[in-house]
Structures are given as C-alpha cells and as structure tokens.
Amino acid sequence: MDQPKRKFYTPSEALPKIAAFCAYQERNQKEVESKLREYGLNEDEAGEIIIRLSREKMLDEERYAQAFVRGKVRIKKWGRRRITQELKQKGISDYCIKAGMKEIDGDEYYQNLVDVLEKRDRVEKERNQRLRRQKLIMFMTVKGYENDLIRMALDDLGKEAEESED
C-alpha cells in the first residue's frame, strides 16, 4: 500500500497554514515545530516562523499552559502532579507551568477530588475496607492528586483505615 505523497511547502506557503493551526486551539512550540517539519521546512525556516508567531501572539507557551491546566482540571479532573508532569513532557518551561497552575481554584480542585473519589468508590468491588482504601488512594494518585489531600478527602467521606497507617 502506497503512502500518500506529502506536500512540501515553502516558508511563505506554510505561514498561513500554521497560523490557522495555531488559531484553531492553543498550541505549544513543540507541536508547531513538529508540524512545520512535516511541511518539509528545515530547522532555521521553522524557527523563523515560530519567532514570528510568538511575536504576533499566535503562539504563547504561558497561555497554552493556562488553557491546558484549565481543561485538565475542569474536564479530565486531573490533579496537580499529573498536569505538571504532562506539561513537562510537552517541553513547557517551569515558569509557564507555574503560571498555568495559578488557574487552579483550590475549592474547585478539592471538590473535583471528592467527586472523582466518590464515583470511583461506587464502582470499586473490593470488600476489605483497608484494601479498598489502598485501591482508592492508588487510583487518585494516578490521577495526579497529592497524598495528603487524598487522605483528607477519604477521611471526610468516612473511609477511615481500619488501622492507623503511621
């Protein structure tokens, strides 16, 4: 089976295409550079276009991080640790990650944790309370929530451990 032929673009042809790509939704520099490389542009040409997009505010890593954080908290209900990890994998700077994390409302964040925990608790099949609590903690840890908040929420929901964990 033949691969469809990719069309290569000159920098002047690529600019409106990549501008539309950025206008559709927030993008990060890595995504844009990857797309420009798919268009057949070399590193220098891609770099020049990225600089231009940044200057024209079409590409803004801080804004990207803020939108990413808002989306992951509100829609996916992820915790801070998972969001930070994902942003680092995308090559976002610590400064932009910090700016993005300011988008998190503490009350909404804790309510998300409680909601996800209650939902998971309803479907958890484990009968042994200690093992059930461990499974819930593990699930919430993978979602990216902090251990102290998970334990606080479990206690608030009356899911105490049968024996002290100290």
Side-chain angles (χ1 to χ4, degrees):
M1 202 162 126
D2 287 331
Q3 287 267 321
K5 271 201 163 166
R6 282 203 341 230
K7 178 157 175 24
F8 293 110
Y9 299 94
T10 65
S12 58
E13 292 170 331
L15 185 62
K17 284 188 75 60
I18 204 70
F21 180 69
C22 291
Y24 177 71
Q25 75 180 43
E26 289 295 338
R27 307 284 181 182
N28 67 30
Q29 212 165 309
K30 243 181 176 176
E31 289 174 303
V32 171
E33 185 173 3
S34 169
K35 192 65 140 171
L36 288 169
R37 299 299 283 222
E38 281 177 30
Y39 291 166
L41 274 70
N42 67 34
E43 200 174 327
D44 290 342
E45 292 167 332
E48 283 177 34
I49 289 178
I50 287 171
I51 289 168
R52 182 163 174 192
L53 291 171
S54 297
R55 227 182 275 131
E56 294 174 12
K57 296 284 182 218
M58 295 201 72
L59 184 62
D60 184 330
E61 299 252 306
E62 190 173 331
R63 199 175 60 213
Y64 172 84
Q66 291 167 336
F68 185 89
V69 170
R70 280 192 307 271
K72 296 307 177 197
V73 168
R74 295 207 173 107
I75 297 160
K76 295 270 190 187
K77 305 219 184 296
W78 283 1
R80 288 185 184 98
R81 290 172 38 215
R82 174 131 183 225
I83 293 170
T84 301
Q85 186 182 345
E86 294 280 330
L87 285 169
K88 282 185 179 187
Q89 280 181 334
K90 291 177 178 291
I92 305 299
S93 72
D94 288 344
Y95 172 82
C96 291
I97 291 173
K98 276 193 186 92
M101 296 310 255
K102 288 179 185 163
E103 295 291 305
I104 296 176
D105 171 68
D107 294 338
E108 177 189 8
Y109 184 76
Y110 187 73
Q111 191 56 54
N112 282 351
L113 187 159
V114 170
D115 293 346
V116 171
L117 196 54
E118 285 176 330
K119 186 176 178 185
R120 184 63 185 197
D121 188 42
R122 285 194 297 272
V123 298
E124 181 54 60
K125 289 171 176 52
E126 181 60 58
R127 294 257 185 246
N128 178 309
Q129 285 305 312
R130 197 172 55 77
L131 291 177
R132 183 183 192 94
R133 182 178 167 101
Q134 283 177 345
K135 281 187 165 190
L136 291 171
I137 289 171
M138 184 55 74
F139 178 79
M140 296 307 290
T141 301
V142 170
K143 278 290 239 186
Y145 287 96
E146 300 86 336
N147 284 333
D148 56 334
L149 286 178
I150 296 169
R151 284 184 167 73
M152 189 190 312
L154 281 166
D155 293 345
D156 288 351
L157 294 173
K159 302 285 174 206
E160 279 101 34
E162 286 179 349
E163 56 201 64
S164 174
E165 292 174 22
D166 295 322

